[in-house]
Amino acid sequence: MSSSKPPLLWLNVFIFTASFVLGVLVTPWYAYNFGLSWVHFVCLVAAFSFSNLSITAGYHRLWSHKTYQANWVLRLLFAIGGALSLQNSALHWSSYHREHHKHVDHKHKDPYSASRGFWYSHIGWMLREYSHLEKLDYKNCRDLKKDKIVMWQHQHYAVLALLTNLGMPLVLGLIFNDILGMFLVVGALRLLLSHHSTFFINSLAHIWGRQTFTDKNSARDNGILAILTFGEGYHNFHHLFENDYRNGVYWWHYDPTKWLIASCSWFGLSSNLRTTPQLRIEKARAKMQLQMTHKKMASIDACPSLIANIEHEFEAMMACMASYYESKKQLLQNKRQRVLESYELSLLKQRHQQLKADLKQQRQIWRNSVRVYA
Ligand SMILES: [Zn+2]
Ligand SMILES: [Zn+2]
């Protein structure tokens, strides 16, 4: 049986096993016998945040999806933090991730397909020489090959990975006089947490949560995963609107990566932040609600007049949304170009307020109608 499986990638097996043993067994043993202080904890949180944000804001939203542009300082930081996270080079990571989006859930073409189960999509795909590894030629990342920092990191990845993973705990250990403690906490435990929280996006975020915007793929929105992954848990939204720099699209969504990218733009470190038009987002969400309501109605054999009523409310809300967002667009255009006379502008503002009230009312009716079948 085992002979049919591809050979193991021993370096990966060693890294994942060693960080697990050191992080889960040796670190608590060390803490019990020699003690750890709040300094270790602060260093752990800082190193974990640096390494994971380099993946989410750098590898993922900047390089894989080009959702914004970043200046060289930010890109250099992400390249170093990415090496610290030990998830291969940005070029390699992005190439895999673009294939994941292009062929999501395909059993062979998606490198970490959720259709092959939790273990495979979480870590199994990195433990053996599966065939997709051989085909990787970075053809889908021609744009990234023009980024000097990406190529520098790719060419010197092994050295950078060693320097950051051994160098950072060593320097902290020398400063705080506990080299072994820092090696265990900031080296091994941080790596373990960083790896698995990122891997959850490929595994759990395709299994656990709500399909808020689409059911064309297995990606899910999950607020708990968002907390563990610096905002990447809103994965259903992300798979439908992958060019948006946000994953948590609403203001109350916990998405520190989105906040980091937006804050960097205030200091000129990031620019051209891409967002999806709100109308498209709202339409997708309402369509999913309609689809789910249809399913529920079919399961209880609801009478045709009720189904017609729901469809009528849906169409009414779509019409309200289209008018509201159109008037919003006109207002924004005028703000930029100032083409309207003052009386025309006041009429437009009045109409906009009316449309806003109409949409609010129609949304409430829609929510009430849908809630009955939730
Ligand atoms: Zn993505
Ligand atoms: Zn995904």
Side-chain angles (χ1 to χ4, degrees):
M1 281 293 281
S2 62
S3 61
S4 65
K5 285 184 179 176
L8 284 165
L9 289 164
W10 285 105
L11 179 63
N12 291 359
V13 173
F14 169 75
I15 290 169
F16 294 136
T17 311
S19 61
F20 182 81
V21 172
L22 293 172
V24 172
L25 303 174
V26 183
T27 306
W29 169 84
Y30 184 88
Y32 181 75
N33 286 290
F34 302 98
L36 294 173
S37 69
W38 62 270
V39 173
H40 293 88
F41 181 73
V42 170
C43 290
L44 172 68
V45 172
F48 174 73
S49 304
F50 175 46
S51 107
N52 275 38
L53 283 166
S54 295
I55 295 293
T56 60
Y59 276 32
H60 189 212
R61 300 191 203 183
L62 173 67
W63 283 314
S64 297
H65 294 298
K66 314 287 270 181
T67 67
Y68 67 101
Q69 287 172 349
N71 83 346
W72 70 269
V73 178
L74 204 52
R75 285 184 287 130
L76 183 63
L77 281 172
F78 290 154
I80 294 167
L84 175 68
S85 76
L86 219 56
Q87 293 184 31
N88 222 313
S89 71
L91 184 71
H92 190 97
W93 199 103
S94 301
S95 182
Y96 265 54
H97 194 69
R98 287 179 183 183
E99 290 300 293
H100 168 61
H101 274 262
K102 192 173 169 190
H103 303 292
V104 60
D105 296 327
H106 189 286
K107 201 170 177 186
H108 302 292
K109 290 181 179 173
D110 176 353
Y112 26 85
S113 176
S115 66
R116 297 177 75 162
F118 175 86
W119 177 256
Y120 182 85
S121 58
H122 187 76
I123 198 169
W125 66 278
M126 289 174 280
L127 297 179
R128 291 180 183 276
E129 283 180 47
Y130 289 102
S131 55
H132 51 75
L133 287 167
E134 297 155 16
K135 284 181 267 168
L136 201 71
D137 52 13
Y138 310 124
K139 265 187 190 161
N140 60 355
C141 291
R142 287 197 180 96
D143 54 324
L144 298 185
K145 287 183 182 174
K146 293 176 197 155
D147 186 325
K148 284 181 182 159
I149 292 178
V150 168
M151 294 316 288
W152 166 79
Q153 194 231 29
H154 184 69
Q155 277 151 13
H156 303 97
Y157 174 74
V159 177
L160 287 169
L162 277 172
L163 275 178
T164 47
N165 278 280
L166 298 177
M168 185 186 272
L170 180 69
V171 170
L172 290 170
L174 289 170
I175 294 170
F176 297 106
N177 206 23
D178 183 11
I179 292 176
L180 189 54
M182 284 296 178
F183 174 74
L184 287 171
V185 175
V186 179
L189 181 60
R190 185 266 316 156
L191 187 62
L192 179 75
L193 295 173
S194 178
H195 270 163
H196 290 279
S197 56
T198 306
F199 301 164
F200 277 149
I201 305 303
N202 301 334
S203 55
L204 277 183
H206 278 268
I207 296 170
W208 179 32
R210 291 164 65 94
Q211 290 178 300
T212 322
F213 300 95
T214 178
D215 63 353
K216 298 276 187 290
N217 59 66
S218 61
R220 301 290 203 271
D221 282 342
N222 186 317
I224 297 170
L225 280 182
I227 293 169
L228 299 176
T229 57
F230 292 84
E232 302 272 275
Y234 302 103
H235 206 53
N236 186 260
F237 174 85
H238 173 62
H239 264 276
L240 190 59
F241 304 114
E242 63 184 49
N243 296 323
D244 199 309
Y245 86 95
R246 309 159 298 180
N247 277 15
V249 69
Y250 298 110
W251 66 266
W252 66 86
H253 281 168
Y254 181 81
D255 187 355
T257 304
K258 158 182 87 176
W259 299 326
L260 174 75
I261 296 167
S263 326
C264 284
S265 72
W266 305 336
F267 304 101
L269 293 168
S270 65
S271 57
N272 295 332
L273 279 56
R274 294 164 75 185
T275 54
T276 314
Q278 201 60 24
L279 179 60
R280 276 187 64 202
I281 297 170
E282 296 301 330
K283 269 187 175 174
R285 192 177 175 196
K287 270 186 186 167
M288 272 307 290
Q289 288 171 334
L290 178 68
Q291 204 174 306
M292 281 190 281
T293 308
H294 266 309
K295 274 186 196 163
K296 291 266 168 62
M297 289 179 119
S299 71
I300 58 167
D301 244 347
C303 79
S305 66
L306 286 174
I307 297 172
N309 187 46
I310 283 282
E311 278 168 5
H312 170 76
E313 299 301 354
F314 175 77
E315 292 302 334
M317 190 174 67
M318 287 294 109
C320 272
M321 264 185 200
S323 309
Y324 169 74
Y325 284 109
E326 180 54 35
S327 84
K328 197 173 178 180
K329 199 168 117 189
Q330 285 174 2
L331 275 175
L332 282 172
Q333 256 170 10
N334 188 65
K335 205 174 176 184
R336 279 196 296 268
Q337 298 165 353
R338 299 193 180 282
V339 286
L340 294 177
E341 299 289 337
S342 59
Y343 78 94
E344 286 175 318
L345 182 61
S346 90
L347 277 178
L348 185 60
K349 277 182 179 169
Q350 251 179 36
R351 188 174 129 75
H352 184 69
Q353 286 308 317
Q354 186 55 51
L355 288 169
K356 193 177 181 180
D358 290 351
L359 179 58
K360 193 178 173 188
Q361 191 184 15
Q362 199 56 48
R363 268 196 180 124
Q364 195 55 51
I365 295 170
W366 171 248
R367 270 199 290 268
N368 291 342
S369 312
V370 169
R371 203 171 286 149
V372 175
Y373 302 97

